[in-house]
Amino acid sequence: MAAHDASESTTTAEATYEELLADQSQWFTVEPRKDCPHVTQVAPVLDFELSQPCGDCGHLGENWVCLTCSQVGCSRYVNEHMLQHCQSVEHPIAFSFSDFSYWCFSCNDYVVSPLFKPITKAATTMKFGSIEEEDDASASTSTAAMDVPSLD
């Protein structure tokens, strides 16, 4: 039986890693859309909790909130209830409890907008507590009811 040369396999692994890094044709980035025309349909006041279950199946975890009516539904990778909701009532944009992203079902794309800043701030406070209230346990369980600024 031949002895295994550890330095040889390390060099091969490093070369493979270097080759993967050099071949960027296999890479892609997700660039959220900055010009979504549907951001004007975000409700001026939203009311939700990050711990809220899907309103249809009760799933906890990878849920989304509709930014038009505050309904909570599970992701397309669970039972698709937010997708079904947004398509059936034509509410275009939802916010992810998992990664704090925004998805426009009409544009079929991730979106960003200055209008989303208060939503992200309220969700961050719910999840992590505010800096001023780090010791206040109620900050992570509060309901997000926030005014969303208008584009006017």
Side-chain angles (χ1 to χ4, degrees), residues 102-116:
Y102 297 85
W103 181 263
C104 179
F105 290 93
S106 296
C107 294
N108 199 32
D109 210 349
Y110 286 103
V111 294
V112 293
S113 169
L115 292 176
F116 300 155

Side-chain angles (χ1 to χ4, degrees), residues 17-34:
Y17 179 71
E18 297 284 330
E19 290 169 6
L20 288 172
L21 286 177
D23 181 14
Q24 294 184 9
S25 67
Q26 300 298 315
W27 295 31
F28 67 94
T29 59
V30 175
E31 293 288 332
R33 184 177 177 145
K34 295 177 183 172

Side-chain angles (χ1 to χ4, degrees), residues 66 81-94 105:
C66 173
H81 289 129
M82 183 51 61
L83 171 65
Q84 292 168 9
H85 166 75
C86 288
Q87 288 177 339
S88 68
V89 295
E90 297 181 359
H91 291 171
I93 302 177
F105 290 93

Side-chain angles (χ1 to χ4, degrees), residues 11-12 21 28 31 37 49 64 69 75 95 102 105 112 127 144 149:
T11 304
T12 304
L21 286 177
F28 67 94
E31 293 288 332
E49 295 179 27
W64 293 71
C69 69
S75 86
F95 170 73
Y102 297 85
F105 290 93
V112 293
K127 188 166 187 169

Side-chain angles (χ1 to χ4, degrees), residues 36-47:
C36 172
H38 305 101
V39 298
T40 58
Q41 294 180 41
V42 172
V45 177
L46 297 167
D47 187 18

Side-chain angles (χ1 to χ4, degrees), residues 36-147:
C36 172
H38 305 101
V39 298
T40 58
Q41 294 180 41
V42 172
V45 177
L46 297 167
D47 187 18
F48 66 90
E49 295 179 27
L50 293 178
S51 60
Q52 210 167 324
C54 172
D56 293 311
C57 68
H59 175 78
L60 289 169
E62 195 173 324
N63 289 337
W64 293 71
V65 62
C66 173
L67 296 187
T68 303
C69 69
S70 298
Q71 179 168 324
V72 174
C74 60
S75 86
R76 65 179 77 214
Y77 302 109
V78 179
N79 292 316
E80 299 185 344
H81 289 129
M82 183 51 61
L83 171 65
Q84 292 168 9
H85 166 75
C86 288
Q87 288 177 339
S88 68
V89 295
E90 297 181 359
H91 291 171
I93 302 177
F95 170 73
S96 168
F97 293 173
S98 298
D99 63 6
F100 287 21
S101 63
Y102 297 85
W103 181 263
C104 179
F105 290 93
S106 296
C107 294
N108 199 32
D109 210 349
Y110 286 103
V111 294
V112 293
S113 169
L115 292 176
F116 300 155
K117 199 170 198 172
I119 300 165
T120 303
K121 184 177 180 182
T124 301
T125 300
M126 277 191 278
K127 188 166 187 169
F128 303 109
S130 68
I131 295 171
E132 299 82 22
E133 303 171 9
E134 281 183 7
D135 298 327
D136 183 2
S138 65
S140 64
T141 59
S142 65
T143 299
M146 78 282 313
D147 292 325

